[in-house]
Amino acid sequence: MSQGQTYLDNVETSTGLTPRRFIELADERGFGAAGTKTGEVVAWLKTEYALGHGHAMAIAQVIKHRETVDIKNIETTSEPPISIGRLWLDGKDTRPW
């Protein structure tokens, strides 16, 4: 498992929220819009969810680069071009590997 996936799993354990839920919450607050600065998202995650800097950065990168990390079916979907890696966004207990 990648270090990035470990960060996402740890955030889910501490907050009870999946990475996909963080994307939804970010969109509701306007943080998913083009031009949103990563620092703004990180500050929100640190304040609202008491995440440390590294964990907040991991979630912020998923929010920012969602199209290049969202692998719904790892066995039949190829890794997207310019990907930051295969990451599972739908919860650690549903991960197929």
Side-chain angles (χ1 to χ4, degrees):
M1 182 170 15
S2 72
Q3 180 178 355
Q5 189 67 57
T6 300
Y7 270 81
L8 299 183
D9 291 353
N10 290 340
V11 169
E12 182 181 349
T13 297
S14 69
T15 65
L17 301 171
T18 66
R20 186 156 325 274
R21 182 65 183 133
F22 275 108
I23 290 171
E24 294 166 355
L25 292 168
D27 288 348
E28 289 171 12
R29 288 161 178 77
F31 290 128
T36 300
K37 301 215 181 286
T38 302
E40 295 175 82
V41 178
V42 169
W44 165 62
L45 293 167
K46 286 177 160 184
T47 301
E48 189 78 18
Y49 299 98
L51 296 181
H53 186 76
H55 290 99
M57 279 297 294
I59 295 294
Q61 291 303 310
V62 165
I63 291 166
K64 184 175 182 177
H65 300 287
R66 63 186 83 190
E67 297 304 319
T68 60
V69 298
D70 186 4
I71 305 298
K72 293 222 44 88
N73 187 340
I74 197 164
E75 294 185 13
T76 61
T77 305
S78 60
E79 188 168 346
I82 314 170
S83 176
I84 63 171
R86 290 182 181 272
L87 299 173
W88 187 255
L89 305 182
D90 293 313
K92 60 186 178 165
D93 294 333
T94 67
R95 193 172 46 243
W97 71 92

